[in-house]
Amino acid sequence: GIMHIPRAYFSRQQEKVWDQEIGQWVDIDLCELEAEVDEEGSDREEAGPHHRPVKGGGRSVVDSALYDLLGVQTDASPSDIKRAYYRQARQCHPDKNPDDQAATEQFQTLAKAYQVLADPESRSRYDSQGLEGLETNEAQMDPALFFGLLFGSERFLDYTGELHLAMQVDHVAQSLRRTREELSCDVEEPEPRAIRRRQHRREVRCAVFLRRILHRMVVQRDSIGFVQDAREEAAQLAGVRFGPELLIELGEMYQIRADIYLVNELVGRRSCAKRVAAARRSRHSAKTCLSLSKSAVGSLRQAKRIHSAMQREERRTQERQQHEHAEQAGSFGDIADALEDALPAFLLAAWASVVNDLDGTIKNVGRKLLQDKSAPWQIRIRRAQALKVLGEIFFEEGHRVVGSGGAQGLSSLSSQAAKETLLEAVAGSLRHERRSP
């Protein structure tokens, strides 16, 4: 209420943030948050203590072939396995090697190994029984891997973290799996607290990553080397599917967060410069929300069209049972055409949701990075300056590639291209549930 306004004002002046869980204004200590997240371990809720890898010099397992393939120890943590997979997958990704069949096969082999080791249950069975003890029963999709492959964000994982949409889908999938195994009819709703903790870990990891890559300019004072590395990184990121679009969004978000912090600390919270920075932030947020709303409307229109095609097929089947096969062939063609035509709209809606998610996530990542009380004020200022430089480089590179026509944007994606994109993402993210015989 009104009585808390003065306290909130002074807390913000002291660079405190509101902690929703404890209901207090608190200081941010990124080192402490990093240690806390490392201790929590895996993001998968079902990973209990018995699934957590042992710290130390490797565990005794029946078969280490999948660990060797990814280049990790048998006691590697889930985050180590994920980093190793993405590091190797970048080199043989189909987007980077479009006409190399061997690279495609290597990419698929890495994906299968990762899908086994990323799931605590299948990893436990593999450790104790090896490949022979894993029997494929049914295919399942890894939500994080699917959305990563769909938008190229697996290459951006260190910058974006696990997308919120993937968290929600993964949580529901885990709930369905537990429900099936327990022979229960009650499907758990996504737990807000569990999702919030995953989001918190995501933000901390992204902030820690940015702290590390900004170190060269912030602490080592090597601005030239930092800019050179950032340009090389941006050029590589622009080469993945929808990489230029992600670079543009991330670049603008980084610049906004850095500008707001620098204005607050060096100019003043009530200055004209602060109003300009706040206006830019508001415009970007409004643009993001508008894009999400427009894409949602477009998706609803396409869904209505698909529903109409299905209704026409049903009526024709009922009216002409004697020509069932001929009529079904034509009507199913109508449904297939409607589905294919709707794919670009559905992709645009998913993309708008991703951008909206990133807008809120980068805001909190920026706070954890720039309001980190474990670092001196001067270091926080230099972090903001380096973050702004990184944002400018990302933004410029993304626009350069889009302007040169070097990448096909989402807005110009054809139905066939959207179909191929989705099929490739689905194929790459399918994992098989493995049970012991």
Side-chain angles (χ1 to χ4, degrees):
I2 297 177
M3 296 178 60
H4 296 286
I5 291 179
R7 183 180 179 185
Y9 174 78
F10 286 113
S11 295
R12 288 196 180 97
Q13 290 283 93
Q14 298 170 355
E15 295 188 353
K16 293 178 181 288
V17 297
W18 178 255
D19 190 315
Q20 186 68 33
E21 290 191 6
I22 65 177
Q24 293 181 4
W25 291 93
V26 298
D27 289 322
I28 293 177
D29 186 324
L30 189 55
C31 292
E32 184 178 314
L33 292 176
E34 180 185 12
E36 177 186 302
V37 167
D38 287 343
E39 186 177 353
E40 289 184 11
S42 174
D43 279 333
R44 291 187 175 271
E45 293 93 333
E46 75 269 27
H50 59 290
H51 288 132
R52 294 193 178 179
V54 178
K55 301 285 185 182
R59 292 180 300 166
S60 175
V61 296
V62 173
D63 187 353
S64 65
L66 298 186
Y67 293 99
D68 296 339
L69 183 64
L70 295 181
V72 297
Q73 297 292 325
T74 55
D75 63 347
S77 68
S79 58
D80 289 338
I81 291 173
K82 180 181 289 187
R83 280 194 295 268
Y85 164 68
Y86 283 125
R87 183 172 57 250
Q88 295 197 42
R90 291 169 190 165
Q91 304 304 318
C92 56
H93 195 283
D95 285 347
K96 193 173 182 180
N97 308 274
D99 301 318
D100 191 338
Q101 183 61 31
T104 300
E105 292 176 358
Q106 177 67 8
F107 178 77
Q108 294 171 347
T109 302
L110 289 170
K112 291 177 181 178
Y114 172 69
Q115 288 159 6
V116 171
L117 299 182
D119 182 76
E121 295 291 344
S122 63
R123 180 181 179 181
S124 177
R125 285 193 290 270
Y126 173 70
D127 289 346
S128 61
Q129 303 175 46
L131 291 174
E132 292 76 10
L134 300 177
E135 179 182 353
T136 300
N137 286 329
E138 60 183 80
Q140 291 186 335
M141 188 174 68
D142 185 326
L145 196 55
F146 171 75
F147 288 106
L149 293 170
L150 183 61
F151 295 116
S153 59
E154 87 281 1
R155 181 64 179 84
F156 285 81
L157 183 69
D158 290 328
Y159 296 93
T160 65
E162 183 184 12
L163 299 176
H164 188 75
L165 192 57
M167 289 185 202
Q168 294 278 6
V169 175
D170 185 48
H171 189 97
V172 171
Q174 292 176 32
S175 175
L176 287 171
R177 185 161 61 249
R178 287 193 297 267
T179 299
R180 180 188 59 197
E181 291 172 354
E182 295 168 5
L183 300 178
S184 170
C185 296
D186 299 325
V187 179
E188 299 177 16
E189 293 292 330
E191 300 175 10
R193 189 176 185 280
I195 296 296
R196 283 199 302 269
R197 289 305 300 172
R198 289 182 73 166
Q199 177 67 17
H200 171 73
R201 292 192 290 270
R202 170 193 183 188
E203 293 165 2
V204 170
R205 288 166 182 156
C206 289
V208 169
F209 172 76
L210 286 174
R211 181 187 64 187
R212 179 171 62 81
I213 66 171
L214 299 180
H215 181 82
R216 186 168 186 175
M217 179 172 174
V218 174
V219 178
Q220 298 178 354
R221 306 296 180 95
D222 183 7
S223 299
I224 296 176
F226 171 76
V227 169
Q228 182 179 354
D229 287 348
R231 292 194 183 281
E232 292 176 359
E233 174 78 348
Q236 293 181 10
L237 292 172
V240 304
R241 180 183 291 119
F242 308 132
E245 288 88 348
L246 269 172
L247 281 175
I248 291 171
E249 295 297 336
L250 283 175
E252 186 168 8
M253 292 173 190
Y254 287 160
Q255 291 180 71
I256 288 172
R257 300 320 310 173
D259 282 339
I260 289 177
Y261 183 81
L262 290 172
V263 166
N264 284 341
E265 297 301 311
L266 302 180
V267 183
R269 296 175 181 270
R270 296 182 176 276
S271 63
C272 292
K274 173 58 183 292
R275 294 190 182 96
V276 172
R280 183 183 181 187
R281 176 192 61 193
S282 299
R283 285 197 303 271
H284 183 268
S285 297
K287 181 184 71 174
T288 300
C289 292
L290 180 61
S291 176
L292 181 60
S293 300
K294 288 174 63 177
S295 61
V297 171
S299 295
L300 287 174
R301 288 175 179 168
Q302 293 294 341
K304 184 177 180 181
R305 185 184 171 203
I306 295 172
H307 181 66
S308 298
M310 294 177 67
Q311 286 182 322
R312 288 196 300 272
E313 184 273 333
E314 185 177 358
R315 286 196 299 268
R316 289 171 182 171
T317 301
Q318 292 175 350
E319 293 172 359
R320 302 183 182 181
Q321 289 292 335
Q322 64 275 25
H323 302 100
E324 179 179 356
H325 296 291
E327 289 301 320
Q328 281 190 350
S331 57
F332 283 137
D334 292 342
I335 296 175
D337 289 342
L339 281 169
E340 191 166 323
D341 292 342
L343 290 180
F346 291 158
L347 269 180
L348 277 174
W351 169 254
S353 175
V354 167
V355 173
N356 187 64
D357 168 32
L358 289 177
D359 188 43
T361 298
I362 298 303
K363 176 181 178 181
N364 291 327
V365 168
R367 285 177 174 171
K368 290 176 172 61
L369 175 71
L370 303 178
Q371 296 176 218
D372 172 23
K373 293 296 182 65
S374 66
W377 177 79
Q378 295 87 344
I379 293 295
R380 300 200 296 271
I381 292 295
R382 291 189 62 81
R383 281 182 187 174
Q385 293 168 339
L387 184 64
K388 183 175 181 178
V389 171
L390 181 66
E392 290 170 348
I393 292 172
F394 278 14
F395 190 79
E396 291 171 4
E397 179 65 17
H399 274 292
R400 186 191 67 78
V401 175
V402 170
S404 65
Q408 184 178 21
L410 272 166
S411 58
S412 60
L413 203 64
S414 66
S415 297
Q416 182 60 31
K419 181 179 179 180
E420 293 173 357
T421 299
L422 282 168
L423 288 176
E424 183 178 325
V426 169
S429 62
L430 279 179
R431 69 184 179 195
H432 291 87
E433 183 179 354
R434 304 174 187 270
R435 302 172 185 270
S436 55

